Amino acid sequence: MGVKYPETNENCNGCGRCADVCKVEAIDIRGETSYPNYNLCIGCGKCIKACPNEGRDIKEGGYMVYVGGKSGREIINGISLRLMDIEEIINLIDKVLKVYTKYAQKPQRERLGAVMHRIGTGKFLEEVKLLMYSEV
Ligand code: SF4
Ligand code: SF4
């Protein structure tokens, strides 16, 4: 999923339109300006688009990649990773597949989320990161 984290610029007049569209209440309007709360912001970029005064810039872009989630009888949340470009995402998918192949008990049948859950998400990610950054 593409992400765009906002920052307020000098065009902001505190009209509050951005806070109206933010679904996670990550914007405070104080006086004649607005403040994004980065602890809550999910980078959806809606506030940037909704501003009538071009009062919001993109502070940081990139992608959020979700790995190992699944629905069904047993729901697994999986994990989210922030990456900056397409090459990094391709590299991540390649290494996730390598680690999956190493541990999956029934290759092509055991779900990725189930493998991560069984061996431990921390251990799985550690191996993925090791491969990602040792082969570049
Ligand atoms: S950033 Fe734009 S929408 Fe938000 S308060 Fe400022 S002017 Fe209004
Ligand atoms: S980018 Fe999305 S989540 Fe973040 S402050 Fe703007 S509307 Fe809210």
Side-chain angles (χ1 to χ4, degrees), residues 23-44:
K23 292 192 171 157
V24 294
E25 298 184 6
I27 300 170
D28 290 332
I29 306 294
R30 276 180 260 142
E32 294 187 348
T33 193
S34 62
Y35 298 87
N37 179 342
Y38 296 112
N39 291 323
L40 297 176
C41 176
I42 54 169
C44 72

Side-chain angles (χ1 to χ4, degrees), residues 4 6 18 21-24 26-27 36 41-47 56:
K4 285 180 193 160
C18 53
V21 300
C22 179
K23 292 192 171 157
V24 294
I27 300 170
C41 176
I42 54 169
C44 72
K46 280 191 169 52
C47 57
R56 311 213 112 200

Side-chain angles (χ1 to χ4, degrees), residues 99-100 102-105 110 112-128:
V99 179
Y100 167 80
K102 177 178 169 188
Y103 288 106
Q105 284 178 337
E110 191 177 18
L112 174 60
V115 174
M116 289 170 67
H117 193 61
R118 180 165 54 74
I119 73 161
T121 302
K123 177 180 164 63
F124 189 95
L125 275 185
E126 214 172 280
E127 292 200 27
V128 168

